[in-house]
Amino acid sequence: MKILAIESSCDETAVALVKDGRHILAEQVASQIAVHKTYGGVVPEIASRLHVETISALIDETLAQGQWTWQDVDAVAATRGPGLVGALLVGLTAGKTLAYALDKPFIPANHMEGHIAANYLAHPQLEPPFLSLVVSGGHTYLLEVKSYGAYAILGQTYDDAAGEAFDKVARVMGLPYPGGPQIDRLSVEGNATAVDLPRVMLEKGSLDFSFSGLKTAALNAWNHASQKNTPIPVEDMAASFQQAILDVLVDKTMMAAEKTKRRVITLSGGVSANEGLRRAMQKACDERGYTLYYPPRALCTDNAAMIGSAAYYQYRYGSIEDDGVDPNLGL
Ligand code: KG4
Ligand code: ZN
């Protein structure tokens, strides 16, 4: 089954043709980052407008990439949420219109299920059940994937998402948007013990996260040092902040593995592109004999192939509402 999938929840317009949830036949991503960079973050109205300007040509280019035709498309999928409501509406409207015109099923897909499914595209042997850490710009979830489309949420963030914390701290450090990759790059040269930052674990045994205290502590340390004319080297700040986030993400994931007895773990979402996180999680998994999967970088950040994969499993195992599909901002 070949699904034409559209992703437009934030600042990437993306289209892909995905076969049986596992094979990428064609894909295109048009990033808006260069435009939003000027404002230091994503401007929702601009994101929606750029999606409108880009989406039709991108669908044509995706099909042209493999000389696919409309006859090759068995179903159309688009991200339903969570995301920016105006941005989601563009992809949803394009997808629903196309499905109607082609007389094919329309599959509304969940963005977070998409992030989880990115690993199905990268790792043919991966099958549920497994434990999954999803860390993106808007969400932080530790969950158990019990079977295709069946999830049990074990923990989530009380406040900032992991990626959001990276971006906010990077912004105060004067680094361009998005800050996560910048902190990742700089941290390699820095001393991770240079700045003393908290590891917020919440109550004993909790698998939830809270990054806002860490973010405030990092910002205070940075500002106090600047005011005293003893600025912290950017590399040291980046390394210390990144280490504090990684320690919590790795510790909680290992706690969740112990609690659920799952020995297969997946990592996904934009922050899973982080080199330090990949290395630290791999080390923790190796020490315990767990198997770790994470996608290649291009499938960590937002893309439409992951939406095509999630949509396939939803079509096979879930329920599909056939009309009145509106943006849905929850998980
Ligand atoms: O999954 P994603 O593309 O979009 C959302 O669904 O939010 O994630 C974007 C987030 C941004 O906060 C970005 O700074 C972060 O992922 N990110 C990283 C890295 N690459 C992207 N964070 C840390 N290290 C990276 N290498
Ligand atoms: Zn995302």
Side-chain angles (χ1 to χ4, degrees):
M1 178 183 197
K2 293 194 267 311
I3 297 180
L4 184 78
I6 298 170
E7 153 64 33
S8 71
S9 67
C10 191
D11 58 353
E12 333 273 355
T13 321
V15 181
L17 188 66
V18 178
K19 184 169 176 250
D20 296 338
R22 294 280 179 166
H23 308 283
I24 304 173
L25 301 177
E27 70 170 330
Q28 294 283 331
V29 181
S31 176
Q32 306 176 357
I33 284 178
V35 178
H36 296 293
K37 225 178 201 158
T38 329
Y39 306 96
V42 178
V43 183
E45 284 307 318
I46 295 178
S48 310
R49 187 169 291 273
L50 290 175
H51 287 311
V52 171
E53 287 172 12
T54 317
I55 190 78
S56 299
L58 212 63
I59 292 170
D60 287 343
E61 280 166 33
T62 306
L63 290 179
Q65 203 186 337
Q67 287 165 346
W68 303 101
T69 68
W70 297 119
Q71 280 69 46
D72 295 309
V73 175
D74 300 308
V76 182
T79 306
R80 183 186 193 178
L84 302 170
V85 69
L88 288 165
L89 268 173
V90 179
L92 269 178
T93 308
K96 283 197 273 186
T97 309
L98 250 184
Y100 185 73
L102 296 172
D103 197 20
K104 301 285 179 185
F106 176 68
I107 312 169
N110 180 286
H111 185 80
M112 304 313 291
E113 289 191 56
H115 275 304
I116 295 165
N119 274 303
Y120 295 142
L121 296 164
H123 306 289
Q125 68 278 36
L126 176 67
E127 301 269 356
F130 55 85
L131 182 71
S132 186
L133 175 70
V134 191
V135 270
S136 72
H139 298 86
T140 306
Y141 281 110
L142 244 181
L143 42 86
E144 222 181 332
V145 181
K146 292 180 171 278
S147 60
Y148 288 110
Y151 309 94
I153 295 177
L154 305 169
Q156 54 187 302
T157 181
Y158 283 170
D159 38 58
D160 291 1
E164 195 179 351
F166 266 101
D167 294 343
K168 285 179 179 167
V169 169
R171 189 172 172 165
V172 168
M173 290 167 68
L175 302 171
Y177 174 84
Q182 305 291 334
I183 291 190
D184 192 5
R185 179 178 56 81
L186 288 166
S187 69
V188 177
E189 313 285 326
N191 172 6
T193 58
V195 188
D196 188 21
L197 294 171
R199 272 68 172 157
V200 179
M201 298 302 284
L202 302 170
E203 66 274 20
K204 197 171 159 23
S206 169
L207 295 175
D208 288 322
F209 301 91
S210 169
F211 293 117
S212 110
L214 166 62
K215 179 191 67 187
T216 307
L219 301 185
N220 285 342
W222 177 263
N223 289 333
H224 286 158
S226 302
Q227 280 156 11
K228 284 196 296 185
N229 256 337
T230 51
I232 303 168
V234 278
E235 295 83 0
D236 287 351
M237 188 70 223
S240 302
F241 172 73
Q242 178 165 305
Q243 192 62 50
I245 287 214
L246 303 194
D247 284 352
V248 175
L249 291 175
V250 173
D251 276 8
K252 297 242 173 189
T253 306
M254 293 305 118
M255 277 164 59
E258 222 160 274
K259 188 171 170 182
T260 58
K261 305 267 182 290
R262 297 283 176 224
R263 303 180 62 81
V264 175
I265 299 173
T266 69
L267 197 58
S268 57
V271 179
S272 68
N274 186 278
E275 193 50 47
L277 176 60
R278 290 165 173 236
R279 232 179 303 117
M281 197 68 84
Q282 189 67 62
K283 183 166 176 280
C285 286
D286 289 348
E287 283 166 6
R288 294 165 178 81
Y290 299 160
T291 306
L292 177 68
Y293 295 104
Y294 47 78
R297 281 199 177 71
L299 290 174
C300 291
T301 45
D302 290 348
N303 64 88
M306 69 184 199
I307 299 303
S309 176
Y312 171 78
Y313 289 107
Q314 188 180 322
Y315 189 76
R316 274 193 63 180
Y317 301 109
S319 64
I320 302 293
E321 299 152 77
D322 53 5
D323 60 6
V325 175
D326 296 319
N328 178 339
L329 304 180
L331 179 69

